Amino acid sequence: MTNNDILKKLRVALMLRDDQIVEILELVDFRISKSELGAFFRAEDHENYMECGDQVLRNFLNGLVIHLRGTKENPKNPNDVLAKHKAEIPKKDNTKERPEFKATTKDAERGRGDKAPSKSGSAAGKPKKKEFPKGNGKTSVVEKVVYKNGKNKK
């Protein structure tokens, strides 16, 4: 497991944003920009990928201890800090009802412009739908299939 993987997993587990990671690194007087930090989280085959060095990870872990526990003079409860991170995440508003999908008529689709209008002009020239055959009123969904296995039976 590389340092980049460790940094990614800690970011996800602790629900940290890039600006929060920059602030954590500044607690131990380590300056890094968001773009440099973003290079650590890229895929290995990306052109801007950068390998996270031991010094960056060490400083992040030391800053994380101070961020979560606080200092001797000003101690913090790590659970409170994590709860604060969780509260800062914007929640999706699922209470909005999604609009119903309404099928458009063929006349409305004809005027869309991406398809050429049909030559018939109206539905009058189209043949009527086939009526159900006499019987139970339903058409057969599955047809009878004749299998030909390559052997001629005569």
Side-chain angles (χ1 to χ4, degrees), residues 3 14 22-23 29 33 42 46 52 60 62 67 69-71 75 79 81 84 90 109 114 118 124 126 130 150 152:
N3 290 345
L14 298 174
V22 169
E23 290 173 9
D29 297 327
S33 68
R42 296 188 187 278
H46 194 275
C52 180
F60 175 70
N62 289 335
H67 177 71
R69 294 185 193 164
T71 59
N79 291 330
V81 176
K84 181 182 169 190
E109 287 182 10
D114 60 348
S118 64
K126 295 182 181 178
K130 294 182 180 178
N152 292 332

Side-chain angles (χ1 to χ4, degrees), residues 17-20 22 32-41:
R17 295 187 315 265
D18 288 347
D19 57 338
Q20 291 173 326
V22 169
I32 192 169
S33 68
K34 283 186 184 180
S35 59
E36 287 178 301
L37 190 63
F40 297 142
F41 299 123

Side-chain angles (χ1 to χ4, degrees), residues 41-127:
F41 299 123
R42 296 188 187 278
E44 290 183 22
D45 57 345
H46 194 275
E47 66 182 58
N48 293 336
Y49 171 79
M50 198 165 72
E51 193 170 318
C52 180
D54 293 338
Q55 183 182 11
V56 176
L57 186 61
R58 176 175 47 88
N59 283 311
F60 175 70
L61 292 174
N62 289 335
L64 191 61
V65 169
I66 294 171
H67 177 71
L68 293 176
R69 294 185 193 164
T71 59
K72 283 187 178 182
E73 297 81 30
N74 188 13
K76 296 180 188 175
N77 185 354
N79 291 330
D80 294 340
V81 176
L82 293 175
K84 181 182 169 190
H85 286 290
K86 195 170 189 177
E88 288 177 0
I89 296 173
K91 293 185 179 181
K92 293 181 182 177
D93 189 15
N94 291 336
T95 59
K96 293 181 184 178
E97 291 186 25
R98 296 175 71 183
E100 288 285 325
F101 173 77
K102 295 180 181 175
T104 58
T105 62
K106 290 186 179 182
D107 293 333
E109 287 182 10
R110 221 178 278 142
R112 285 190 352 198
D114 60 348
K115 293 183 180 177
S118 64
K119 295 179 183 177
S120 65
S122 67
K126 295 182 181 178

Side-chain angles (χ1 to χ4, degrees), residues 20-31:
Q20 291 173 326
I21 294 174
V22 169
E23 290 173 9
I24 289 170
L25 286 167
E26 286 178 358
L27 291 174
V28 290
D29 297 327
F30 189 83
R31 310 269 186 268

